[in-house]
Amino acid sequence: MKNPDDLIKIPEEKKIRVIIDTDAACEADDPFAIAQALMSPKLIVKGILAEHFKEADSTKRSYDEIQTVLSCMKLEVPVFMGQSGPLEADGKISPAAQFIIDEAERFSDGKPLYLLCQGAITNVAMALRVCPQIKDKIIIVWIGTHGIQNIGKPAPFREFNAGNDITAANEVLTSGAPVWLIPSDVYTTINVSLAELKIKVEPYGKIGHHLYHNMIEYNLSDRAGWTQGESWSLGDSPAIAVAINPGCGKFVEAPAPFVNEDTSSSSCSGAPKIRVYTSVDSRFILEDFFAKLKLFFGPRLMRSE
């Protein structure tokens, strides 16, 4: 893949350092978000962290999927193994959590480090446990929880990301670190049909082929019984989009919710205020991805493979 700076020029001072934290092998939408980040010249991707999804060897499976995405894009980015499971089951700091600490400490230019989180938030929670002072040097963007819309009401469904490590969720939300929360009623709005992916994704290089067929394989599996059949929600992509353009959605500043065992939200006395997105622009998110894929991997830019 060509350098994004060769195709899309942006001012150097507007670039930001990011780390992607992802349970990439869990479902089929994480790899789309990873690819979008890697094609975005504003985002200086310092590393990608493998996140667990509360299954045996799930961190390693996420790690392997990250490597597959990088291989398809012919890119080299540092990849780190994360915690092997929820905080209560894995008390030893992982290479991923240590990398968050190390990179956050490189605060020399006065700009925060953005953590773009697309799964359980265990790696970030562990980093904050070990080194709480980094909270003033990071911004955490997280796809997770049911947010603040239904506080005090039963969960409409078990929210996957928060539910995979509720302890970590609550530790991060109450840490005092800046959090940009993208809850379930927002991230589920990034709807796309398989037909559109067939036309706009599959033809574009090895990465397009992988993204599309990985999606189809998952959609045909027993694990995808909850899906609608011929459509998908690219629910992890907003984490990338709001880093590119924080104003691509509407948000409020509100006290952080407390995540209950059933993943419903409750009010938490004394909770710090966080940014909670109430909507995102799906057109911006999807069209940005499709355009970049075509720019980097379309016929006019095809490299011999």
Side-chain angles (χ1 to χ4, degrees):
M1 191 184 92
K2 285 190 175 181
N3 187 329
D5 290 335
D6 294 336
L7 294 175
I8 308 170
K9 301 292 186 182
I10 71 163
E12 286 294 320
E13 66 272 15
K14 294 187 178 180
K15 295 181 178 180
I16 59 174
R17 292 180 303 142
V18 306
I19 292 174
I20 302 168
D21 187 272
T22 170
D23 56 355
C26 178
E27 294 175 2
D29 49 337
D30 290 79
F32 283 79
I34 296 169
Q36 188 166 9
L38 293 169
M39 294 187 293
S40 299
K42 179 176 177 177
L43 308 185
I44 305 169
V45 181
K46 305 301 293 186
I48 307 178
L49 315 181
E51 185 67 74
H52 75 91
F53 44 95
K54 211 173 181 181
E55 292 182 8
D57 299 322
S58 57
T59 306
K60 179 60 165 60
R61 287 150 60 191
S62 293
Y63 180 95
D64 291 344
E65 175 59 23
I66 295 165
Q67 295 287 12
T68 296
V69 170
L70 290 171
S71 176
C72 288
M73 299 179 76
K74 295 187 175 180
L75 291 174
E76 293 185 5
V77 175
V79 183
F80 299 89
M81 285 284 288
Q83 305 298 132
S84 63
L87 282 176
E88 295 172 349
D90 185 6
K92 182 180 178 182
I93 188 169
S94 65
Q98 186 61 55
F99 181 72
I100 292 172
I101 295 169
D102 294 343
E103 193 60 38
E105 292 292 343
R106 302 181 206 278
F107 198 59
S108 57
D109 61 359
K111 293 182 179 180
L113 171 67
Y114 287 74
L115 308 179
L116 311 183
C117 304
Q118 306 165 193
I121 202 156
T122 310
N123 295 329
V124 177
M126 178 58 76
L128 285 166
R129 270 190 180 185
V130 173
C131 191
Q133 59 267 32
I134 66 169
K135 70 182 178 64
D136 298 321
K137 302 178 180 182
I138 59 178
I139 292 177
I140 301 163
V141 182
W142 185 29
I143 304 288
T145 84
H146 287 302
I148 60 174
Q149 297 302 314
N150 295 300
I151 282 183
K153 298 179 182 179
F157 56 88
R158 185 170 181 80
E159 201 284 311
F160 190 78
N161 292 344
N164 279 339
D165 195 342
I166 291 173
T167 298
N170 287 320
E171 287 192 13
V172 170
L173 290 170
T174 59
S175 67
V179 175
W180 297 1
L181 188 65
I182 304 171
S184 62
D185 61 331
V186 176
Y187 69 69
T188 54
T189 64
I190 315 303
N191 293 312
V192 64
S193 73
L194 298 182
E196 187 173 18
L197 297 181
K198 177 75 173 176
I199 297 297
K200 295 183 178 179
V201 174
E202 187 194 27
Y204 296 107
K206 289 183 178 178
I207 185 61
H209 184 273
H210 173 69
L211 293 174
Y212 176 74
H213 288 279
N214 187 51
M215 174 76 73
I216 295 300
E217 181 180 350
Y218 185 88
N219 193 49
L220 292 173
S221 73
D222 293 340
R223 295 175 295 158
W226 55 271
T227 67
Q228 299 303 311
E230 64 168 89
S231 62
W232 201 272
S233 176
L234 296 181
D236 290 313
S237 297
I240 309 305
V242 301
I244 297 170
N245 176 12
C248 78
K250 296 180 180 179
F251 58 83
V252 297
E253 300 290 332
F258 180 84
V259 181
N260 301 309
E261 282 302 314
D262 67 348
T263 72
S264 62
S265 297
S266 295
S267 297
C268 181
S269 178
K273 283 193 172 182
I274 63 170
R275 175 181 297 189
V276 182
Y277 275 85
T278 57
S279 67
V280 288
D281 185 345
S282 61
R283 187 216 64 83
F284 170 78
I285 295 170
L286 292 171
E287 292 299 331
D288 178 73
F289 172 72
F290 294 145
K292 285 170 178 170
L293 196 63
K294 190 171 184 178
L295 274 174
F296 290 108
F297 299 99
R300 293 184 181 179
L301 300 174
M302 289 292 282
R303 271 81 49 205
S304 57
E305 297 184 355

